[in-house]
Amino acid sequence: MSESSDSETVTALPVAGGRQTWQTVWALSRGRRLVFLSVTVLGVASAAVGLVTPAVIGGLVDRIHTGAATSSTVGIALVALILAAFLGALGTAATVVLAARAYHAMLADLRESLVEQAMSVPQNVIERAGTGDLISRTSDDVSQIADAAPQIIPTFTTVVFTIIVTFAGLTALDPWYGLIVVAVLPVYVFTLRWYLAIGPRVYRSERAAMSRRAQQITESQRGYDTVVGLGLTRQRHDTVVNTSWEVVEHSLRARTVQNMFFGRLNLAEYLGLAVLLVIGFILIGDGSSTIGATTTAMLLFLRLFGPINQLLIVVDTLQSVLASLSRMIGVLTIPQSGSPHTCRPSEPRPADGLARPAHEDTALCERTVRLEGVMFSYDGREPALSDIDLDIETGEHIAVIGASGAGKSTLAAVIAGIHSPDSGRLVCPRGTALVTQEMHVFAGTLRENLTLANPEAGDEKLRAALVSAGAEGLVDLLPEGLDTEVGAGGRILTPAQSQQLALARIMVLDPELVILDEAAAEAGSAQAGLLDQAAAETLRGRTGMVIAHRLSQASVCDRIIVMEGGRIVETGTPDQLREAGGVYARLWSAWVEAQAFTPGAGPHISRNSHRPR
């Protein structure tokens, strides 16, 4: 089960509990456990070599005290110290390298799983939580774990072994020396318990504040035109500043807790040294120990200061890492689909490489699209789709029209698998592709943009797809042809070229069902005819669904669906709907009138377009 942080809202993405986090870490370690066993063996051996230095110095002190020391004794001691330092450093380096490779391999696997899951999480879940939360988890939290590696890996691969072996060495000298660690242990235990009771909550709050800041920054960037157009610059600036100050406040609280933690550690050190000096004085006084043995014990105890402090300081870092790790694993706990619908795989198509929608996990073959009583709501209260019953036969092309907010894009997203119906049944081909008006050109070459989901496609197929999309001249315009860098950091394509690229990408994928959600809406009237032809070519030989904003697109389809308020209110062929005298007929009459005044023009379907004039 997952649990949410106290500081996060009920709509935030889930945070994994401690048990689930460790189960995931254990699963990630599969195939690397032999490496971790080698790390343990090397770590213990390296720590044992570290006992040589205090023992040699203690023995040398006793020899000097008794007058038995010679130049050869000092030389042998020096050689032993150098050899011990070399072997210890070599063993520690090998331990850290092995542990680091396994650690980063596990982190890479987790990061890949996180990205894969994030791409398949229902969009409405992300929208309710805010994209900033997901961005923070895939960026800030990943960076937090990766940046902590240089501190965590050496500590847990060497320090733990050093503490264990040093305690054993102290006890071997005299059990009373071993009790020194026991004497200071309660201070460390109480310090750690105090910190663990406060630290995790503080760090979770800090991470959540970072998510809120990321959300506000992301919204301001994405809605830049709206912010400027409505004069909201100052308001957005103040909002970002306020969320940034929230991060500062939580960070200051975290650093305060950290400083209080370090103060308690210093107290344990002073107490341990005092106890050791008293015990050494008593043992030497009654002849139970020697000055050299006490010197060795003192050096061993001083040798513990660094490791123990490092370990507990890393516990501080580890709390932040675990907070980030739990947030990352929390994304993996989000179910991809939980609704009673089906996306049935069809017969295999050669090298389609298409990314499958989230609702494909079924077994029966079917090429048609079938919706039965489908309901969907973004917020769980107001329905965006109500009682949708719709069949689209194989090879049929339908157009969906309606006013803004009628539910057209929501219907497309549900069929494409972006949203999961709240109820009802959905059956669709496994190979389904959605093209929206928000075309994205990825940073990379033109070839990489075309082969995103079909890496095996050759240049001949890529050029044929561009020709079908009406972009045959695009390759010639680019200085390096298909190898030209486009998108961010490369050649910026025009809106029309971006839409042609998106349509060509679909042809390279070769899906069975293509959904065009106003895919030519942003290109402008100059390219509208060209893009309509490209869209028609994209639909050729495939089942197609067109969310139309121009009646020229709808009128060439086999069937037209008219939506209002999330419901289907009319359906039929273009001729049938024109004769019916309903919403479509009024839109058609308005379009014909517009063409009479402006040849080639046609009204866009707006919120009031269906009202009688």
Side-chain angles (χ1 to χ4, degrees), residues 21 26 41 105 129 201 211 223 225 234 248 304 324 349 355 453 471:
T21 298
W26 177 253
V41 173
R201 185 172 64 253
S211 291
D225 292 340
R234 172 55 58 182
V248 171
L304 281 176
S324 294
R349 299 178 70 91

Side-chain angles (χ1 to χ4, degrees), residues 29-105:
S29 70
R30 188 176 295 115
R32 304 183 179 94
R33 291 165 191 168
L34 184 60
V35 175
F36 286 118
L37 178 60
S38 302
V39 167
T40 302
V41 173
L42 277 172
V44 172
S46 302
V49 171
L51 297 179
V52 172
T53 298
V56 168
I57 294 175
L60 188 59
V61 168
D62 276 340
R63 285 179 176 272
I64 293 173
H65 181 67
T66 59
T70 63
S71 58
S72 61
T73 302
V74 176
I76 292 173
L78 183 60
V79 171
L81 293 176
I82 294 174
L83 185 60
F86 174 76
L87 292 177
L90 184 63
T92 299
T95 303
V96 171
V97 168
L98 283 176
R101 292 182 64 181
Y103 177 95
H104 283 290

Side-chain angles (χ1 to χ4, degrees), residues 130-339:
T131 54
D133 192 4
L134 182 60
I135 291 173
S136 178
R137 296 185 190 217
T138 55
S139 56
D140 291 341
D141 290 328
V142 172
S143 297
Q144 176 69 30
I145 297 175
D147 293 344
Q151 187 177 9
I152 289 178
I153 294 173
T155 299
F156 276 91
T157 54
T158 60
V159 167
V160 173
F161 304 126
T162 299
I163 293 172
I164 295 172
V165 172
T166 302
F167 175 72
L170 281 169
T171 305
L173 280 173
D174 192 292
W176 284 104
Y177 291 136
L179 289 177
I180 295 172
V181 177
V182 178
V184 299
L185 188 61
V187 179
Y188 284 119
V189 170
F190 285 124
T191 298
L192 192 58
R193 289 188 61 184
W194 168 82
Y195 178 74
L196 292 179
I198 297 177
R201 185 172 64 253
V202 170
Y203 284 112
R204 283 198 300 267
S205 298
E206 185 181 24
R207 296 269 85 78
M210 289 180 176
S211 291
R212 291 191 291 272
R213 179 182 63 184
Q215 175 69 21
Q216 295 301 330
I217 293 174
T218 301
E219 288 181 353
S220 297
Q221 291 175 335
R222 289 184 174 177
Y224 176 78
D225 292 340
T226 302
V227 170
V228 174
L230 297 179
L232 301 176
T233 305
R234 172 55 58 182
Q235 178 185 342
R236 296 306 305 172
H237 174 269
D238 292 343
T239 301
V240 172
V241 168
N242 290 337
T243 54
S244 297
W245 273 113
E246 287 183 21
V247 174
V248 171
E249 292 172 2
H250 287 289
S251 297
L252 286 175
R253 185 183 177 193
R255 301 297 83 76
T256 301
V257 171
Q258 188 181 72
N259 290 333
M260 295 172 67
F261 178 60
F262 293 155
R264 286 164 170 79
L265 295 183
N266 292 334
L267 175 62
E269 293 174 1
Y270 299 147
L271 177 63
L273 281 175
V275 172
L276 182 108
L277 289 172
V278 171
I279 291 177
F281 177 79
I282 294 173
L283 292 178
I284 293 172
D286 63 13
S288 301
S289 184
T290 65
I291 296 176
T294 303
T295 301
T296 300
M298 180 66 74
L299 292 174
L300 287 175
F301 188 73
L302 290 173
R303 184 172 179 262
L304 281 176
F305 281 4
I308 290 177
N309 284 345
Q310 286 180 46
L311 179 62
L312 296 182
I313 289 172
V314 164
V315 168
D316 173 78
T317 303
L318 189 61
Q319 294 308 305
S320 183
V321 168
L322 288 177
S324 294
L325 186 63
S326 298
R327 284 161 50 81
M328 290 175 63
I329 294 175
V331 177
L332 303 181
T333 67
I334 302 174
Q336 295 186 2
S337 176
S339 57

Side-chain angles (χ1 to χ4, degrees), residues 374-375 383-389 400-402 405-408 411 561-570:
V374 168
M375 305 276 291
L385 296 177
S386 301
D387 298 323
I388 300 296
D389 293 314
V400 182
I401 67 172
K408 307 184 299 298
L411 178 62
I561 305 296
V562 182
M563 296 190 67
E564 284 185 357
R567 298 176 181 272
I568 296 177
V569 296
E570 290 183 7

